[in-house]
């Protein structure tokens, strides 16, 4: 049986002011519209940006005077509207038979700050897993969120996925960890206007020879659009460069016959694992090479 999954990576409009419930409703509506488009294109899974329902601005949420930074006042969000929008997305996922990976704030019991999370919603419309961002920015840690503690790997149709959020792209040890965990694809969802971060995503696909998908807010799509990258670093699909909602769609095929993917999956990745496991140790010259006259000119 062929092991393949059609992935749709969204760039959706992410509001930064969650104190207005209409912003939450608007983002939920746009997310659901993109789910319909992904379903029509035959997608099996749809990935959305960090904080897809809302990624609160540090100034908007500040409990201090206007324009100053202070601990976020999370009571200013209408959590009932947030939950209703997340549930509406999950319900539609179940209706369409889609897996959905959705960036969202996840509340904890007060006085603990929320997590910055990715929800994994099954094709039955059920929340089955949650990834909590482990590496936070200085601002996130100081004023906004509680860090997570663990990686997340989940499997759909025999394909293993890892997850990462935004600034975590700057921590290569997370992506090495997912290589050790034998993932087939890492889903990176961001809320940043940064071309260099998209380059890092491509670099991990090149270094570790797994698929990498990069989901970005529509308002930053002109800088680095949503992208799906094949093992070895070749871009498979990319949204059009512009500040508009859209989808990048490509198949993750573990049995792909494409020459570049074949080399990356079946040759480069196993070889690098062998190299890291001590392949060269028996070939190393022991002793002090400075005492070997053959090293002289």
């Amino acid at each position: 049986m062929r092991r393949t999954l059609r992935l749709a990576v969204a760039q959706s409009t992410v509001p930064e002011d969650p104190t207005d419930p209409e912003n939450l409703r608007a983002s939920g509506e746009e997310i659901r519209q993109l789910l319909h488009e992904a379903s029509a294109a035959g997608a099996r899974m749809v990935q959305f940006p960090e904080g897809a329902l809302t990624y609160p601005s540090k100034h908007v949420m500040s409990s201090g005077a206007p324009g100053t930074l202070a601990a976020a006042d999370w009571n200013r969000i209408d959590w009932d509207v947030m939950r209703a929008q997340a549930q509406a997305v999950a319900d539609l996922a179940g209706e369409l038979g889609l897996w959905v990976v959705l960036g969202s704030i996840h509340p904890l019991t007060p006085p603990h700050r929320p997590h910055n999370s990715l929800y994994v919603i099954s094709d039955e419309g059920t929340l089955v897993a949650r990834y909590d961002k482990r590496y936070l920015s200085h601002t996130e840690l100081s004023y906004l969120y509680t860090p997570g503690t663990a990686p997340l790997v989940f499997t759909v149709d025999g394909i293993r996925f890892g997850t990462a959020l935004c600034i975590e792209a700057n921590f290569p040890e997370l992506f090495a960890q997912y290589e050790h965990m034998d993932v087939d694809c890492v889903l990176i969802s961001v809320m940043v206007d940064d071309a260099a971060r998209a380059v890092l995503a491509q670099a991990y696909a090149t270094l570790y020879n797994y698929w990498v998908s990069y989901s970005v807010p529509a308002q930053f799509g002109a800088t680095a659009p949503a992208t799906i990258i094949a093992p070895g670093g070749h871009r498979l699909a990319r949204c059009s460069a512009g500040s508009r909602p859209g989808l990048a769609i490509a198949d993750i095929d573990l049995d792909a016959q494409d020459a570049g993917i074949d080399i990356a999956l079946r040759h480069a990745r196993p070889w690098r694992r062998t190299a890291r496991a001590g392949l060269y140790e028996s070939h190393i010259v022991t002793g002090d090479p400075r005492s070997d006259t053959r090293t002289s000119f």
Side-chain angles (χ1 to χ4, degrees), residues 265-285:
L265 282 184
R266 299 175 188 93
H267 299 280
R269 191 173 187 183
W271 174 260
R272 292 177 193 178
R273 287 179 173 178
T274 302
R276 294 187 189 104
L279 169 67
Y280 304 106
E281 290 179 3
S282 63
H283 299 272
I284 295 172
V285 175

Side-chain angles (χ1 to χ4, degrees), residues 45-227:
M45 178 187 294
V46 191
Q47 173 196 357
F48 286 91
E50 180 180 32
L53 286 171
T54 182
Y55 185 89
S57 163
K58 58 189 177 183
H59 293 292
V60 168
M61 298 308 298
S62 175
S63 60
T68 65
L69 281 178
D73 179 3
W74 291 107
N75 292 320
R76 299 178 62 209
I77 291 184
D78 191 328
W79 289 105
D80 289 338
V81 173
M82 277 277 293
R83 293 187 186 96
Q85 292 305 310
Q87 186 61 57
V89 170
D91 290 343
L92 182 58
E95 291 174 22
L96 297 175
L98 287 172
W99 284 76
V100 176
V101 179
L102 179 73
S104 182
I105 306 163
H106 182 76
L108 300 180
T109 304
H112 302 293
R113 295 172 179 169
H115 287 309
N116 184 349
S117 301
L118 282 171
Y119 289 145
V120 179
I121 300 166
S122 78
D123 57 354
E124 296 180 347
T126 303
L127 178 62
V128 294
R130 191 185 78 235
Y131 176 69
D132 303 321
K133 190 175 184 180
R134 292 177 280 169
Y135 284 78
L136 304 176
S137 71
H138 173 75
T139 296
E140 287 179 317
L141 184 62
S142 300
Y143 305 113
L144 291 162
Y145 301 117
T146 296
T149 59
L152 173 66
V153 174
F154 65 97
T155 302
V156 179
D157 297 345
I159 296 174
R160 290 169 59 81
F161 292 90
T163 50
L165 281 163
C166 204
I167 198 173
E168 293 184 325
N170 295 315
F171 293 86
E173 58 268 33
L174 271 67
F175 295 85
Q177 181 182 41
Y178 281 129
E179 154 61 9
H180 291 314
M181 297 176 78
D182 199 31
V183 304
D184 301 303
C185 177
V186 177
L187 311 171
I188 307 176
S189 294
V190 309
M191 173 59 178
V192 69
D193 192 11
D194 182 11
R197 207 155 300 184
V199 173
L200 287 172
Q202 189 171 15
Y204 292 128
T206 305
L207 289 170
Y208 296 119
N209 293 295
Y210 44 47
W211 281 266
V212 175
S213 58
Y214 186 81
S215 179
V216 63
Q219 58 262 42
F220 302 146
T223 300
T227 306

